[in-house]
Amino acid sequence: MNRWRAFNWLGWSSFALLLLLWELGSRATPKLQLYFPPVSRIFAALIDALSAGSIVQHLLVTLVRFAEGFLLAALLAVLFGVMLGYFRFLHGLLATLIELLRPMPSVAIIPVAILLLGIGDGMIVSVTVYASVWPILVNTIDGVRNIDRTLIDTGRTFGLSRWRILWQIILPGASPYIVTGLRIGLSIALILVTTAEMIAGSKGLGFFILDEERAMNSANMYAGIVVVALLGYGLNRLFLLIETRAMKWRHGMMARQAA
Amino acid sequence: MSILEVHALSKSYRQAGGDTTLAIGNITCQVEAGEFVSFVGPSGCGKTTLLMTIAGLLAPSSGRVIVNGKEVSGPPANLVLLFQEYNKSLFAWRSVLGNVRFGVEARGAAAPAADAKARKLIALVGLKGFESHYPWELSGGMQQRVAIARALAYEPEVLLMDEPFGSLDALTRLELEDTLLRLWAELKTTILFITHDIEEAIYLSDRIWVLSRRPSQIVQEIRSDFPRPRHQVTTRAEARFMALRNDIYRQIGNQGTP
């Protein structure tokens, strides 16, 4: 009953209406069908590609690249973020560099990466790591620097070593910020994987989409876009699911403060 | 040998303009094992700085602090400071049980034993049944009870308390005073307590040191030898209690406004 009510009927019906308009509009104007094939044809193309297995392979390639890039970025960014947040000197040393590099659109690094690493998986993963490191890094630094002094002093008066203070107080204390960074980093990683695949891939969903466009198979192209969209949606949902469990205390606390 | 000795302690701060202000003048005092001693003084007299320095969280500008015969150069292992701001010092990501267990674990106890001991202390501070609650689900008084249980779980020989009941309402405050005295009698911990509430100091302590305004110094030592266990109504109603209160009040009041 609750689930029934929680479901956003209005939102989903407006989405369904949009698809219906697309379908009817496309059928009414055959001249435009190269650009906007009917939804039903895109759906059929999707089913074909799925059953033939080709798109599944592209999906898996993209997924692996994404996972490698995102997880490596998360590891590096949290590690360096904690150090930069903790040691004032390191932060002073590198803050300007970070502030200059961070706003640069990360896709601009792709040509450099191709130059240095060629057009293989290594290049695509590296670019993904580079792009998704920034939001995680900056949020981790903020999180660590925002931890109340009293919390650290509590650890010290209980005789905790620096390492245990880091592990038991700083990391959980900064975790709400870190999670925010991870969520942004996840979206960016997916953007970069797809983009890099379009520019220099011979596999992956980005490559598939561009390849089908060049072959004028617009129904297949849209099928690829649908798969990328579903991938993004699924990964975000998975992230939220894990986050809701891991950060239960935080959600409860925020709800309490808002009330 | 006293369990805690403070010798000619002073602490100055460098201010934003570059000037240095002296927060603590020249404090010398000793606390005996098992005693309950309080510092009482006007707000802003550097009480927190004093306690942070004794706890080894701030380095003294001059003078020495000796705990159990060893000079303090960092936070000593057998001493814990309980902060006034329980909402900032409790771990929001740990349950009540998790918070108290932290105190046991910090001592180095193994996990299963830590659990049992934490549960026992939670019951002792009157929070049985709240083990799985998070601190932010509790009232201020209950949160400070968690903080006290966590500190005692560490089994410190000396417990420093920085105005622990300062931000609680009057009734909760009286309740917690009695809880603290009961635990103190049971666990035989040495307590050094800071408050600006004169009556609280008299009610809780064996001895009271009256502090001056900045730079703070001990202007008087007063014994509070009312029989224990003390009682919120009868002890506070004694004529001597009122006389002591007035005496200390005059000591603090005489210093004029800064």
Side-chain angles (χ1 to χ4, degrees):
Chain A
M1 184 65 195
N2 232 337
R3 276 185 164 239
W4 190 255
R5 271 198 199 159
F7 187 76
N8 184 359
W9 290 103
L10 196 63
W12 282 100
S13 41
S14 73
F15 177 64
L17 186 67
L18 188 76
L19 291 184
L20 186 69
L21 285 176
W22 180 324
E23 175 78 24
L24 296 177
S26 175
R27 282 182 186 280
T29 49
K31 267 197 280 184
L32 283 179
Q33 283 189 4
L34 176 63
Y35 311 104
F36 300 106
V39 175
S40 54
R41 206 184 299 161
I42 297 171
F43 192 68
L46 180 62
I47 300 288
D48 278 353
L50 282 175
S51 55
S54 61
I55 206 167
V56 178
Q57 279 186 351
H58 289 296
L59 170 68
L60 286 177
V61 168
T62 301
L63 194 61
V64 169
R65 285 168 178 162
F66 161 82
E68 284 176 1
F70 177 64
L71 293 178
L72 197 59
L75 197 73
L76 289 172
V78 171
L79 196 72
F80 282 97
V82 168
M83 292 206 304
L84 284 167
Y86 201 47
F87 299 109
R88 241 164 228 262
F89 174 76
L90 269 183
H91 187 258
L93 193 71
L94 297 172
T96 311
L97 184 69
I98 293 172
E99 282 316 302
L100 288 175
L101 283 179
R102 189 169 67 102
M104 183 186 82
S106 298
V107 286
I109 208 81
I110 295 179
V112 182
I114 294 177
L115 199 64
L116 293 175
L117 301 166
I119 54 167
D121 273 12
M123 182 280 287
I124 296 174
V125 173
S126 305
V127 169
T128 307
V129 171
Y130 174 84
S132 48
V133 145
W134 300 112
I136 310 172
L137 182 75
V138 170
N139 275 286
T140 305
I141 294 173
D142 275 358
V144 172
R145 288 168 74 93
N146 269 303
I147 288 176
D148 200 282
R149 185 72 224 170
T150 308
L151 220 46
I152 312 255
D153 279 340
T154 300
R156 292 176 65 209
T157 194
F158 276 93
L160 257 57
S161 63
R162 276 198 148 203
W163 175 249
R164 280 184 74 185
I165 288 179
L166 191 73
W167 199 244
Q168 296 196 313
I169 295 176
I170 293 180
L171 222 47
S175 62
Y177 286 79
I178 297 176
V179 164
T180 304
L182 287 173
R183 192 158 59 204
I184 303 169
L186 181 134
S187 304
I188 292 181
L190 201 59
I191 293 173
L192 262 288
V193 169
T194 327
T195 311
E197 283 174 350
M198 284 185 178
I199 294 175
S202 55
K203 277 177 290 180
L205 287 173
F207 163 78
F208 177 85
I209 293 168
L210 200 69
D211 199 43
E212 296 296 333
E213 186 265 335
R214 286 182 176 143
M216 304 287 251
N217 286 330
S218 55
N220 277 355
M221 175 189 80
Y222 278 110
I225 292 172
V226 169
V227 174
V228 165
L230 288 175
L231 179 63
Y233 184 78
L235 287 172
N236 267 299
R237 286 304 292 254
L238 183 69
F239 184 87
L240 281 179
L241 198 76
I242 297 170
E243 194 247 35
T244 312
R245 290 211 172 175
M247 305 296 289
K248 214 175 79 188
W249 64 271
R250 182 71 182 173
H251 294 299
M253 196 169 138
M254 299 307 280
R256 177 68 51 120
Q257 280 168 359
Chain B
M1 189 182 68
S2 312
I3 192 158
L4 173 69
E5 297 173 43
V6 178
H7 291 292
L9 191 76
S10 78
K11 175 77 187 167
S12 49
Y13 274 117
R14 186 176 289 271
Q15 282 188 319
D19 301 345
T20 49
T21 14
L22 197 58
I24 303 168
N26 180 4
I27 287 185
T28 297
C29 56
Q30 282 103 39
V31 182
E32 305 305 322
E35 253 192 317
F36 198 128
V37 190
S38 295
F39 283 112
V40 57
S43 7
C45 77
K47 296 190 293 275
T48 296
T49 307
L50 176 60
L51 221 53
M52 297 269 284
T53 312
I54 295 176
L57 295 171
L58 292 174
S61 301
S62 68
R64 296 182 302 156
V65 176
I66 294 165
V67 177
N68 238 347
K70 276 175 74 180
E71 181 161 350
V72 167
S73 57
N78 43 7
L79 178 150
V80 154
L81 170 60
L82 188 119
F83 296 89
Q84 177 183 3
E85 301 138 310
Y86 43 79
N87 55 342
K88 286 186 184 170
S89 119
L90 289 176
F91 305 127
W93 55 90
R94 281 177 178 243
S95 64
V96 168
L97 180 64
N99 267 281
V100 178
R101 213 176 46 205
F102 171 86
V104 195
E105 285 165 359
R107 243 311 176 222
D115 225 63
K117 196 168 158 208
R119 283 178 193 282
K120 205 179 118 198
L121 273 158
I122 291 168
L124 268 180
V125 297
L127 286 180
K128 205 175 169 64
F130 290 94
E131 287 85 352
S132 56
H133 283 61
Y134 284 98
W136 38 265
E137 294 179 291
L138 308 177
S139 68
M142 289 161 94
Q143 288 184 42
Q144 194 57 295
R145 282 173 193 272
V146 177
I148 291 171
R150 184 179 65 178
L152 292 173
Y154 186 70
E155 291 185 359
E157 288 178 71
V158 182
L159 176 61
L160 308 180
M161 304 181 88
D162 181 12
E163 292 195 44
F165 311 142
S167 51
L168 302 174
D169 66 87
L171 279 176
T172 310
R173 193 173 183 138
L174 299 184
E175 261 177 46
L176 272 163
E177 286 170 6
D178 286 333
T179 306
L180 180 62
L181 283 183
R182 186 166 47 76
L183 291 167
W184 171 70
E186 197 164 328
L187 303 170
K188 310 206 184 319
T189 315
T190 308
I191 297 182
L192 182 55
F193 193 92
I194 276 188
T195 180
H196 58 247
D197 182 331
I198 299 170
E199 291 184 31
E200 182 171 80
I202 303 172
Y203 182 71
L204 294 173
S205 317
D206 297 317
R207 284 191 290 153
I208 299 153
W209 291 313
V210 182
L211 290 174
S212 67
R213 289 187 189 283
R214 238 166 226 266
S216 52
Q217 284 180 316
I218 298 177
V219 292
Q220 199 187 357
E221 177 182 301
I222 289 167
R223 291 209 163 267
S224 170
D225 52 3
F226 299 95
R228 296 184 188 268
R230 293 175 182 175
H231 189 272
Q232 289 288 5
V233 175
T234 52
T235 305
R236 283 177 190 259
E238 283 190 39
R240 257 183 343 117
F241 192 97
M242 296 314 286
L244 263 187
R245 178 198 169 277
N246 295 342
D247 191 24
I248 298 174
Y249 183 74
R250 277 192 208 99
Q251 284 287 338
I252 294 174
N254 267 345
Q255 300 167 26
T257 43

